[in-house]
Amino acid sequence: MGRPEKPIPDPVSPLGRLAVALRNGRREAGFSYAVLSERTRTVSPGTLQRAASGAVLPRLEVARAFARACGLDVAEVTRLWHAAYQRSLGGRAAGRTREPEPRPDLVENLRGLCAALEELRQANGAPSFRMMERRARAAGKELSRSTAFRISRGTAPASTDCLEAFLVACQVPPRGRAVWFDAWLRAQRQAVRARQDAVGREELKQFEAVVADTSRGQVSQETAVRMLRKAGFDAMERYRRFDAPWTVECLQCGARFRIRLSDVVLMRATCPDCPKLTEHVREAWAELLTNPSGLLSRQLVRALRAATVLPARLQRDHLDVPVFVADRTTLRALQSGAWHPALEDALRRHIRRPFYLDVLLVHDYDTMPAVRTGQRHRRLAKAAGLVDSPLESSPAMGQLVTETRGTATEGSARTAPGLPGRWKPTSNSGA
């Protein structure tokens, strides 16, 4: 008769209940540990005896081999092992458990992927790296012990084949591997973005050193403000860093937004509201042509329909609306300014910002023949970039005279947006 086994230290604990189940199964089967070792074919008698001692937590594969050799319920033994494993993680109270399997769908980077793979290995009974190598080889996969060790210590799998071999070694079924492949792809994309961001930051640092005016290779406050104003913006706060967001105000339309000085220097900073301003002005012009108030005469409405509104500019609180006039009859009808209040009312319904209206009449008749004057002037205005529709190129036209009618200060000279340097519009709003 052999020596009796030592009593289980704590038979009511999760680890003790696992040991009790294993011991009872061996006694009911009537096997010694040597016979059990022969039936398992891979586990030594000493390892089986320690598994049933209740002092240490055996590997999950050892507990399952013990159960199969004794004819026990393998699923029940697996459940008892997981309960003992959860208790060994940090002394969790009875009845309070967590999911034994990791969550690969929550993986965002390579570090999280490696942590999830290690949790998967621990949930599978923490098999040795030699055992993982044998499992992968039995399934036709290549996974060395050193590779499995590096993955469990934080080095991400280099390929999907390596990842699949690790999953096979952790006994993940084929239907459960797709979510791990998705996690690997997400982590790889994030790593690529991180490398690109690092390269971009280094390039910006070198570019800043080129345009910097200080010995430290950085742009000073004065130089940053000067670059900003040259690009058409005004600073609303102190300059902090070359690639830091900076609150600015557009000198054209007065809109406030945040940009980076690096984008300004690279000419990638644009005002988001300036295109909207022209759109709102055209919407107001289309509303004006319907004469909703009924206060405009038919002659004025005909003259307005014959004219063309050009891209507007809102500089600070001054809204400049240039209007191209194609013939002298239209010019005489629109010079009165009686239609300005109606235009201003329509503009205020579309532009939710205080402004000071200034209407500019753009015309030139001295250099063009009398035949087809209106069509010719419209084509020239569009070819010069005053209207957004592309047309065939045309000869250079003479000076455009711009008459201002509205509330602008008398004698103030203004230049309509988009006009070439050879066109010199003037203002005689006081006439």
Side-chain angles (χ1 to χ4, degrees):
M1 175 181 282
R3 292 183 300 174
E5 292 184 288
K6 294 181 180 180
I8 298 174
D10 187 4
V12 297
S13 66
L15 181 59
R17 287 195 292 269
L18 174 63
V20 168
L22 295 178
R23 285 189 180 187
N24 291 340
R26 185 185 69 84
R27 287 175 185 150
E28 292 176 1
F31 298 145
S32 65
Y33 286 110
V35 174
L36 279 180
S37 178
E38 293 178 359
R39 292 176 66 89
T40 59
R41 298 182 181 180
T42 57
V43 187
S44 65
T47 302
L48 294 172
Q49 188 174 5
R50 285 192 298 272
S53 66
V56 294
L57 179 66
R59 296 198 303 270
L60 178 58
E61 58 191 17
V62 173
R64 287 173 173 171
F66 198 121
R68 282 192 293 267
C70 296
L72 296 176
D73 186 356
V74 178
E76 178 62 19
V77 172
T78 302
R79 187 190 65 79
L80 292 174
W81 184 92
H82 279 301
Y85 173 72
Q86 294 298 328
R87 181 63 179 269
S88 69
L89 288 178
R92 298 181 182 273
R96 185 182 175 189
T97 61
R98 73 174 190 181
E99 285 289 333
E101 297 294 334
R103 295 287 304 276
D105 56 310
L106 301 180
V107 170
E108 296 181 355
N109 49 41
L110 294 177
R111 180 180 297 179
L113 176 64
C114 293
L117 289 173
E118 176 60 18
E119 289 180 8
L120 176 65
R121 174 177 169 271
Q122 294 295 333
N124 188 246
S128 65
F129 301 120
R130 186 186 298 274
M131 176 62 70
M132 295 180 69
E133 182 181 25
R134 286 202 298 264
R135 288 178 179 176
R137 187 177 301 163
K141 304 295 182 181
E142 291 293 332
L143 180 69
S144 64
R145 285 171 286 173
S146 59
T147 301
F149 173 79
R150 287 194 297 270
I151 292 175
S152 67
R153 294 299 183 270
T155 302
S159 63
T160 54
D161 292 338
C162 182
L163 173 64
E164 187 175 13
F166 192 94
L167 298 176
V168 169
C170 292
Q171 298 180 326
V172 177
R175 64 178 180 274
R177 298 172 193 170
V179 65
W180 287 99
F181 294 147
D182 293 340
W184 184 86
L185 287 174
R186 282 198 308 275
Q188 292 292 339
R189 294 193 189 102
Q190 193 277 336
V192 171
R193 288 195 297 270
R195 288 194 295 268
Q196 292 175 347
D197 292 343
V199 172
R201 287 192 296 270
E202 183 63 26
E203 290 178 351
L204 281 181
K205 187 176 180 180
Q206 296 175 2
F207 187 68
E208 182 183 10
V210 173
V211 300
D213 59 335
T214 63
S215 58
R216 295 179 300 174
Q218 297 177 350
V219 178
S220 64
Q221 167 79 19
E222 295 75 13
T223 302
V225 172
R226 186 169 63 253
M227 292 179 178
L228 198 66
R229 292 192 63 85
K230 186 176 180 180
F233 307 109
D234 195 8
M236 293 291 102
E237 60 180 354
R238 285 193 60 82
Y239 168 73
R240 292 181 297 163
R241 201 171 63 248
F242 193 64
D243 60 342
W246 197 6
T247 303
V248 300
E249 182 181 78
C250 178
L251 296 178
Q252 285 285 101
C253 65
R256 293 192 179 186
F257 49 95
R258 293 173 71 81
I259 58 175
R260 291 176 171 83
L261 183 62
S262 57
D263 293 333
V264 172
V265 176
L266 294 173
M267 294 184 291
R268 296 185 305 200
T270 58
C271 175
D273 282 8
C274 282
K276 299 178 182 178
L277 173 65
T278 300
E279 181 181 352
H280 292 329
V281 170
R282 289 179 178 175
E283 291 174 353
W285 185 265
E287 180 181 329
L288 175 67
L289 297 182
T290 63
N291 193 14
S293 62
L295 300 178
L296 300 179
S297 63
R298 292 183 179 180
Q299 181 183 3
L300 268 178
V301 172
R302 285 196 301 269
L304 291 172
R305 291 182 181 274
T308 303
V309 63
L310 305 178
R313 179 179 65 175
L314 179 60
Q315 188 171 8
R316 299 298 184 179
D317 57 346
H318 285 267
L319 175 62
D320 295 336
V321 180
V323 179
F324 182 76
V325 183
D327 55 79
R328 290 185 174 85
T329 303
T330 304
L331 176 63
R332 285 193 296 269
L334 297 183
Q335 277 181 331
S336 65
W339 53 281
H340 290 182
L343 174 61
E344 186 172 355
D345 291 342
L347 288 171
R348 296 194 184 280
R349 283 192 289 271
H350 291 271
I351 301 176
R352 305 297 183 182
R353 188 179 301 167
F355 60 83
Y356 190 71
L357 179 61
D358 194 0
V359 179
L360 298 88
L361 299 183
V362 184
H363 63 95
D364 179 24
Y365 311 110
D366 298 334
T367 60
M368 307 308 301
V371 181
R372 303 177 63 184
T373 303
Q375 296 180 2
R376 184 62 171 171
H377 278 74
R378 286 181 185 274
R379 287 199 300 271
L380 290 172
K382 291 179 180 180
L386 295 176
V387 183
D388 293 338
S389 59
L391 288 179
E392 64 213 335
S393 59
S394 57
M397 70 181 291
Q399 182 186 30
L400 283 182
V401 180
T402 303
E403 296 191 358
T404 305
R405 298 294 183 183
T407 53
T409 305
E410 179 176 356
S412 60
R414 292 183 173 275
T415 303
L419 292 176
R422 63 179 181 275
W423 293 358
K424 299 178 182 180
T426 59
S427 170
N428 60 349
S429 57

